[in-house]
Amino acid sequence: MEELVGLREGSSGKPVTLQELWGPCPRIRGRIRRCLEWLKEKLFRVDEDWYFLAILGVLMALISYAMNFAIGRVVRAHMWLYGEIGDSHLLRYLSWTVYPVALLSFSSGFSQSITPFSGGSGLPELKTILSGVILENYLDIKNFGAKVAGLSCTLATGSTVFLGKVGPFVHLSVMIAAYLGRVRTRTIGESENKSKQHEMLVAAAAVGVATVFAAPFSGVLFSIEVMSSHFTVWNYWRGFFAATCGAFTFRLLAVFNSEQETITSIYKTSFPVDVPFDLPEIFFFVVLGAICGVLSCAYLFCQRTFLGFVTTNRFTAKLLATSKPVYAALVALILASITYPPGVGHFMASRLSMEQLLDSLFDNNSWAWMTQNSSLPWTAEPDPQNLWLEWYHPRLTIFGTLVFFLVMKFWMLILATTIPVPAGYFLPVFVYGAAIGRLLGEALSLAFPEGIVAGGVINPIMPGGYALAGAAAFSGAVTHTISTALLAFELTGQILHALPVLMAVLMANAISQNCQPSFYNGTIMMKKLPYLPWIRGRKIGSYPTTVGHFMNCAITTLAKDTPLEQVVKVVTSTDEAQYPLVEST
């Protein structure tokens, strides 16, 4: 039945429904409706998407902060349970190991039961998507909940499993961007614009990194280096705007929650401003870059080889195909047993979280001199003001614990990358590189106790500066990026070591890029994703080579005017599965 209409008194003759005519405050409601229509017209104009970018940044900052808040509470509850359970070694061992085993098995089972796309970091698949390949349902919003729940459980295991959140968070950000793009398309009623969708996804990748580290500049540059083979400058402002909104909101939430007095860097350092390093130390920073480059090549080769072994071995392949939670529980049990603090974990600072590990490694004091000729007690709980004490052991010294940490974490991190759970792999290699730099810095501070003389002035060596350079160099070599140097500056809030850190990153990348594919390209190769990597180097003699030198010219074709008898003859006389159809013979 059609609605009755009437004419409003004093109107121009346009009919209105009786509901509108007799409703309360018709003029006020009409003005509100016109204002909303004007607002919709202004907001949803074509090529005006800054509001979507702002919403994306704020949403991801809220999710990141809420996730960190919840994970922090769970980790503290685990440490409280471990400390209060008593002196029984069996109970303490069970409280230390059962916790990560249960969390990882739930993370793997829950996320994989909802969608198979939630495992891993997601960056290799996103790199494939941004190169133009369509992966069905990979950016579906239904994957969002599985990824968030699985990642939260993975990160709640702490440094026991030694995994991060950068890669999955980039995946979450891109999923939100794809969903917002679909909402925008349905709202304004326009057809799907692939170019506009690609622009939003590129900006979302920068937001994912920025809301993890509160680092908008390095977030944009890192997403460009990792995600894009070719980058359109038109997307530059979108990435920076969205990343700035996300990073600002993320740090603002910490101030609102009384965690910080003002917006500051995440990992504060206290390097002296006057002379942070002497000129002769540049040589040692370059040597550190070379060491990180060589170790990154070894890590990338071993990780790719072991991943191939796990996927082809009969026992592990069957577990990964049928019982992913069982495989995750077994690996978690191995890693948790090794990091048990009264056991081997005492020699590798296993009671510290990932953030505490970085805080302690960036300390500018020399641990070798502070522990020389002294016997320090091992406290019942880590001292927040003296986290470096977790690296001290009277039988191994500082150098022994650092070397043991590097040797053990090398294969433990490789083993952890095979667990089918949502997890990131950037922060672990960042921490690992900081340990490499710390080891070299401590050795130099012991070799040059009064510092290196330069121009008649003696300045002590700061091992924390070498840890900063090592973190940027090793993580940059593993991911084949230079922006890790800028990330190190944004994380610490100081740019004093800009030149030596950048030189170390360049040296590490020069070695790594010539010897091994990046971590993400290696994963693409192992998963056999349809992606063509950029060919970085060519020989001079290869330029005269054309397609005709190696293409197959013996191809059987069928023309549109070919008689039926000829078609049957061609099909039955050849073994080819496909025949190109051409206009004429």
Side-chain angles (χ1 to χ4, degrees):
M1 182 177 178
E2 296 183 358
E3 293 182 339
L4 298 176
V5 296
L7 293 177
R8 183 179 286 117
E9 182 181 359
S11 66
S12 59
K14 183 179 179 181
V16 296
T17 63
L18 292 183
Q19 182 181 0
E20 293 180 352
L21 187 63
W22 293 343
C25 305
R27 293 183 180 180
I28 296 177
R29 290 190 294 109
R31 290 175 183 174
I32 294 176
R33 186 182 297 109
R34 286 191 294 271
C35 289
L36 292 177
E37 291 177 354
W38 176 86
L39 183 63
K40 175 182 175 181
E41 179 185 357
K42 292 299 182 182
L43 286 180
F44 294 95
R45 284 188 302 175
V46 179
D47 294 332
E48 293 292 337
D49 50 6
W50 57 268
Y51 38 87
F52 276 112
L53 297 173
I55 293 173
L56 175 64
V58 173
L59 275 178
M60 295 310 300
L62 291 172
I63 295 171
S64 179
Y65 185 82
M67 188 180 296
N68 287 352
F69 183 83
I71 291 169
R73 295 295 186 273
V74 175
V75 171
R76 281 194 286 273
H78 180 208
M79 297 306 297
W80 174 85
L81 176 64
Y82 171 76
E84 297 294 330
I85 204 168
D87 297 330
S88 173
H89 277 289
L90 178 60
L91 293 178
R92 290 169 69 89
Y93 172 77
L94 290 176
S95 67
W96 183 266
T97 56
V98 172
Y99 203 80
V101 168
L103 286 172
L104 270 195
S105 58
F106 174 80
S107 173
S108 178
F110 178 77
S111 58
Q112 294 291 330
S113 64
I114 296 179
T115 170
F117 305 118
S118 59
S121 70
L123 284 182
E125 290 81 1
L126 293 178
K127 190 171 184 177
T128 303
I129 292 174
L130 292 180
S131 67
V133 179
I134 299 176
L135 298 181
E136 294 292 339
N137 301 323
Y138 193 75
L139 299 182
D140 198 342
I141 195 63
K142 71 178 183 180
N143 303 334
F144 185 85
K147 196 88 172 182
V148 169
L151 179 61
S152 300
C153 292
T154 301
L155 296 178
T157 60
S159 61
T160 303
V161 185
F162 208 59
L163 293 172
K165 63 181 285 191
V166 176
F169 221 75
V170 173
H171 187 196
L172 293 174
S173 180
V174 173
M175 279 192 284
I176 291 291
Y179 178 74
L180 290 177
R182 289 192 293 269
V183 171
R184 178 182 183 276
T185 301
R186 287 195 298 266
T187 303
I188 63 179
E190 69 173 13
S191 58
E192 187 176 1
N193 190 332
K194 294 293 183 181
S195 177
K196 178 67 66 178
Q197 183 183 18
H198 184 271
E199 293 171 1
M200 290 290 291
L201 297 185
V202 171
V207 172
V209 181
T211 50
V212 171
F213 296 119
F217 296 103
S218 55
V220 174
L221 297 180
F222 184 81
S223 65
I224 292 174
E225 290 185 289
V226 171
M227 308 297 295
S228 306
S229 298
H230 303 86
F231 185 79
T232 306
V233 182
W234 175 253
N235 300 330
Y236 214 51
W237 78 267
R238 288 175 169 82
F240 269 114
F241 178 75
T244 302
C245 290
F248 176 75
T249 306
F250 180 72
R251 297 307 292 158
L252 196 63
L253 290 171
V255 177
F256 288 162
N257 199 34
S258 301
E259 297 177 9
Q260 301 286 342
E261 295 181 0
T262 184
I263 296 179
T264 58
S265 57
I266 297 180
Y267 302 104
K268 300 181 182 64
T269 55
S270 56
F271 301 142
V273 180
D274 297 334
V275 185
F277 62 93
D278 287 315
L279 187 61
E281 289 186 68
I282 293 290
F283 170 76
F284 295 110
F285 280 101
V286 175
V287 171
L288 174 61
I291 294 173
C292 290
V294 173
L295 289 178
S296 69
C297 291
Y299 169 76
L300 291 171
F301 174 79
C302 294
Q303 190 273 338
R304 198 169 61 254
T305 304
F306 186 73
L307 184 61
F309 168 78
V310 169
T311 54
T312 56
N313 181 265
R314 181 180 302 178
F315 175 72
T316 55
K318 184 178 180 180
L319 278 180
L320 289 173
T322 60
S323 305
K324 289 183 174 65
V326 176
Y327 179 84
L330 289 176
V331 176
L333 180 61
I334 295 173
L335 298 178
S337 299
I338 294 175
T339 57
Y340 179 53
V344 181
H346 190 184
F347 304 102
M348 47 198 301
S350 62
R351 295 193 299 179
L352 299 183
S353 64
M354 303 280 278
E355 291 76 14
Q356 290 174 328
L357 285 172
L358 279 179
D359 276 332
S360 62
L361 291 171
F362 290 158
D363 184 12
N364 62 325
N365 297 313
S366 175
W367 301 344
W369 281 104
M370 294 171 66
T371 58
Q372 198 171 30
N373 299 325
S374 62
S375 179
L376 302 175
W378 196 51
T379 57
E381 295 181 358
D383 184 3
Q385 304 300 324
N386 296 288
L387 294 175
W388 68 272
L389 291 174
E390 294 295 308
W391 295 93
Y392 171 76
H393 194 278
R395 285 181 290 177
L396 284 185
T397 72
I398 291 298
F399 297 99
T401 54
L402 285 171
V403 171
F404 188 78
F405 176 87
L406 292 174
V407 172
M408 296 298 291
K409 288 296 183 182
F410 185 88
W411 67 267
M412 290 172 67
L413 179 56
I414 292 176
L415 179 61
T417 57
T418 64
I419 307 175
V421 292
Y425 310 115
F426 177 80
L427 188 58
V429 297
F430 195 81
V431 175
Y432 191 88
I436 297 174
R438 186 79 202 191
L439 179 61
L440 179 62
E442 292 289 347
L444 291 175
S445 67
L446 198 62
F448 302 96
E450 297 183 355
I452 300 177
V453 180
V457 180
I458 299 177
N459 296 293
I461 292 176
M462 291 182 299
Y466 288 87
L468 185 67
F474 187 77
S475 58
V478 169
T479 57
H480 288 188
T481 56
I482 309 295
S483 56
T484 52
L486 182 58
L487 176 62
F489 305 144
E490 289 191 277
L491 281 178
T492 58
Q494 293 192 9
I495 199 169
L496 302 172
H497 292 82
L499 182 60
V501 169
L502 186 58
M503 293 183 69
V505 173
L506 289 174
M507 174 59 72
N509 268 274
I511 297 174
S512 177
Q513 293 189 23
N514 284 318
C515 299
Q516 292 291 328
S518 70
F519 180 86
Y520 305 117
N521 283 347
T523 306
I524 288 174
M525 293 163 54
M526 297 305 300
K527 291 185 176 182
K528 296 181 173 59
L529 296 175
Y531 175 78
L532 296 176
W534 175 38
I535 301 176
R536 296 184 178 274
R538 300 182 181 91
K539 295 182 179 180
I540 299 294
S542 64
Y543 285 99
T545 304
T546 61
V547 178
H549 288 97
F550 54 85
M551 68 181 297
N552 181 17
C553 300
I555 299 177
T556 303
T557 61
L558 293 175
K560 289 184 177 181
D561 56 353
T562 305
L564 178 59
E565 296 80 6
Q566 185 67 23
V567 173
V568 174
K569 182 180 178 181
V570 170
V571 172
T572 56
S573 61
T574 59
D575 297 330
E576 298 181 11
Q578 297 177 346
Y579 300 92
L581 185 63
V582 296
E583 285 290 334
S584 61
T585 304

